[in-house]
Amino acid sequence: MALASCCAALSNALPGNVFLPNSNTYASANSNRWSGTSSLSPSCVVLPGSTQDVAAALQVLTQNGRPFVVKSGGHMAKPGFNNIDGGVSLDLSRLNSVELSGDLRTTRLGTGAEWQRVYDNTPGVVVPGGLCGGTGVGGVSLGGGMSIFLAGVGWTANNVVDFEVVLANGTVVHATPNTNPDLFMALKGGGADFGVLTHITITNAQLTNFIYAGQVLNGLTDRSSQALLRVLTRYTTANNRDPGAGMQTIFKLGSNGKNEVETLYGHRAGLNAMIPVPFLSPAIFNELLGVLPQTVAFAAPAPMNILSNMAQDGLATITFQDDQATIEAVHKVTSDICKQVVDIPNLDCFWSYVPLSDIVTANSLKRGGNVLGLERKRIDRMVVFFSPRWLDPQYDARMSNVSQAWYSQAKAATVAQGTADDFFYLNFAGGFQDPISSYGADNVNFLQRVAARYDPQGVFQKLMPGGFKLPQGY
Ligand SMILES: Cc1cc2nc3c(=O)[nH]c(=O)nc-3n(C[C@H](O)[C@H](O)[C@H](O)COP(=O)(O)OP(=O)(O)OC[C@H]3O[C@@H](n4cnc5c(N)ncnc54)[C@H](O)[C@@H]3O)c2cc1C
Ligand SMILES: *[C@@H]1O[C@H](CO)[C@@H](O)[C@H](O)[C@H]1NC(C)=O
Ligand SMILES: *[C@@H]1O[C@H](CO)[C@@H](O)[C@H](O)[C@H]1NC(C)=O
């Protein structure tokens, strides 16, 4: 069946929810993506209004063998991951419900919601979702999910108690610890390989929405870099003893000469729980706050939605064992690469460090574990997210090379220090990386068995080109 007639069949199955390139709704839905590199031209955009709509759409697509893509928050920048040329774009942005349970312990979310919307609509609790408010519930949860409370409650996916999924044949299933437990496990890191995730029910991180939140902005100099790298290394160890704390540091070299480093930090302890008036910063942040003169700073008990307005993005990732000499070596490689591209107009060369202390794995295991494979090595890790941004597409090819060069040089620096780690966080990985293989052979085998059971025709491997596929040959 030709694509035009597939879009017509979808229109019949989902009247009022299918939009062709000549419509305003198509244009606004199609451009509602974080990165220009993911702007492509689907034959039609489907905006399902319910789980049943998703099921009906998948039935039409699989019966007709038409290529499609799924989009939630649209934050993945890799071309073809959340959009498609010529195929059908299944855009979940209307599935954006946010329902707090009566006892406030859990929240049920439509996967098309952005996290900012979740935080804005959950007064009284903190939901452990993406730090950047524009990221989507769907993509963040399926890849693992790093919230500011990563150490305290483990990965976002580890707090999900119910995944509602539409399988390739249009059947709606729930995956919980007791129902379809193999699918439940696979969805905690396995990405878009098993079905279309329509809703999740997630355990709230705490029953007060006040967290201790702060931001420190420093000028980027050799001195501030050295000081902050030391803080990050030591903080990663200290986080094991005070897992209520969260921190991310984002460096930026800009073509406009604006070089900055921003640290976002938070603590789960709420206003009432621990902070006297005038409030004191939790001790774990003393070194961060004492080390440098700050150009801009705020620190206050604040609702979660303040912090979620402030974070950044990326194109490639590595992980290494938390170590001072290694972070310095990686930092040098990254700064040198960024300096080579600041001739590109309107470019900001961003990279961030996310501490991944062993306590994250401990707290994820307590909640039933996941498929990321981190428990194979009980160490403190540091994740690096290389995420340059630029405006003019004529530089896309050059920047794609730069991101691969960054990856190989940064990885080599960790290997030289003897602190390299295999893990690639799927949600930060470049299209040239293979995050699922980094979970280890046992997890890959498991994921393949689960995919064979729930998607026997391999629809999500073959008909949906976007997303990191399951590795072959295991
Ligand atoms: C500025 C920025 C800040 C970020 N901050 C964070 C952060 O704080 N914490 C963190 O963990 N990550 C962060 N990330 C990474 C983020 O997790 C990924 O970009 C993630 O994929 C975004 O999810 P999304 O729903 O917005 O993406 P989308 O682009 O919509 O989807 C990403 C992938 O998942 C698939 N997918 C999405 N929804 C579904 C679904 N419902 N069912 C099946 N497949 C689906 C898509 O097909 C696609 O392949 C950040 C990224 C950026 C750009
Ligand atoms: C990118 O790298 C490839 C292979 O090394 C090279 O052929 C190509 O010219 C590079 N492209 C740009 C724009 O730098
Ligand atoms: C849909 O697929 C699932 C998983 O393979 C299977 O259990 C179920 O019976 C299928 N349903 C129909 C109606 O074919």
Side-chain angles (χ1 to χ4, degrees), residues 70 72-76 81-82 131 136 139 146 197 312-313 425 427:
V70 180
S72 284
H75 253 59
M76 214 176 240
F81 270 58
N82 66 23
L131 186 51
M146 291 171 153
L197 184 62
Q312 323 292 347
D313 156 61
Y425 177 32
N427 278 334

Side-chain angles (χ1 to χ4, degrees), residues 34 69-76 81-82 92 111 130-132 134-140 142 145-147 192 195-198 248 311-314 385 389 425 427-428 464 466-468:
W34 183 78
V69 74
V70 180
K71 181 210 149 210
S72 284
H75 253 59
M76 214 176 240
F81 270 58
N82 66 23
L92 304 184
T111 47
L131 186 51
C132 166
T135 56
V137 169
V140 168
L142 288 167
M146 291 171 153
S147 74
V196 179
L197 184 62
T198 44
Q248 294 198 2
Q312 323 292 347
D313 156 61
F385 185 19
R389 299 154 194 204
Y425 177 32
N427 278 334
F428 291 170
M464 188 181 79
F468 289 103

